[in-house]
Amino acid sequence: MAAGDGDVKLGTLGSGSESSSDGSSESPGGAGAAVEGGGWAAAALALLTGGGEMLLNVALVALVLLGAYRLWVRWGRRGLGAGAGAGEESPAASLPRMKKRDFSLEQLRQYDGSRTPRILLAVNGKVFDVTKGSKFYGPAGPYGIFAGRDASRGLATFCLDKDALKDEYDDLSDLNAVQMESVREWEMQFKGTFILLGSLEVLSL
């Protein structure tokens, strides 16, 4: 009977939890849960790390695209504004460069783009060849009213009516300080974009 009792005790110990040296017991199920919990934590950490790298890559791609768009806005649109349109040869490409000279109002009017492909206009007493911008300053362009004319007053007042342009010499003496500053800014912009040919004579012929 004693041996039988010992067998029962050994069987009980083998099928139950194992006691540790300090008297505490560890369950196999508890150890598995701990391992499983560690696996989830590792997986979550890997997911967060991978997500951060993905967000960084997306941000870098967005910055590259933004930079390319800004370059297109700065240079691409300028090229479109100066050209006559895609697939068309600009009239300025086939015309010889004009010699620098001064123009009277009457002489300036001959270059309005209707009688000759060349287009000139004056800003703040300076005459510019704007033929390469015929898409804008040609007869069918949105600013065609300035072709062959002194465009200073129209640009200063942001007016595209014929009444804003004078047939005689315009000294702009009635413009205020803000409008005159606008005229000077337009002059500097034209100097950086188009060919400066000369000055506008005070008296027309």
Side-chain angles (χ1 to χ4, degrees):
M1 294 299 292
D5 292 340
D7 290 341
V8 172
K9 291 180 180 179
L10 288 174
T12 303
L13 292 173
S15 61
S17 59
E18 298 179 2
S19 298
S20 62
S21 59
D22 59 356
S24 61
S25 61
E26 293 183 0
S27 172
V35 172
E36 184 178 359
W40 278 108
L45 181 59
L47 180 61
L48 290 175
T49 304
E53 293 179 354
M54 181 174 65
L55 290 176
L56 180 60
N57 291 334
V58 171
L60 290 175
V61 171
L63 288 175
V64 171
L65 292 176
L66 179 60
Y69 173 75
R70 287 183 173 178
L71 286 175
W72 180 85
V73 170
R74 183 174 181 181
W75 300 108
R77 287 186 175 180
R78 179 179 294 183
L80 290 176
E88 297 180 3
E89 184 180 1
S90 172
S94 59
L95 294 176
R97 184 165 180 171
M98 290 188 70
K99 294 181 179 180
K100 292 191 175 184
R101 46 167 287 201
D102 295 338
F103 294 82
S104 65
L105 284 174
E106 183 178 353
Q107 292 169 339
L108 185 63
R109 291 192 189 102
Q110 298 175 10
Y111 299 96
D112 60 358
S114 61
R115 288 169 283 189
T116 173
R118 195 180 299 277
I119 304 171
L120 308 182
L121 63 77
V123 179
N124 200 26
K126 305 295 189 301
V127 177
F128 298 92
D129 186 342
V130 298
T131 308
K132 70 177 183 178
S134 58
K135 181 177 179 181
F136 294 94
Y137 300 102
Y143 307 111
I145 189 175
F146 297 145
R149 307 292 296 273
D150 181 0
S152 303
R153 182 174 295 273
L155 294 173
T157 58
F158 301 100
C159 182
L160 298 178
D161 296 334
K162 290 184 178 181
D163 296 340
L165 306 178
K166 294 185 176 182
D167 293 329
E168 67 277 2
Y169 178 77
D170 190 357
D171 60 6
L172 308 176
S173 58
D174 59 326
L175 298 183
N176 57 42
V178 175
Q179 291 170 334
M180 284 304 303
E181 179 62 24
S182 179
V183 171
R184 286 188 285 269
E185 290 178 357
W186 277 108
E187 178 188 353
M188 295 304 298
Q189 182 173 339
F190 273 76
K191 281 183 178 179
T193 307
F194 301 108
I195 299 174
L196 174 61
L197 293 178
S199 299
L200 187 63
E201 295 178 354
V202 175
L203 299 177
S204 60
L205 297 178

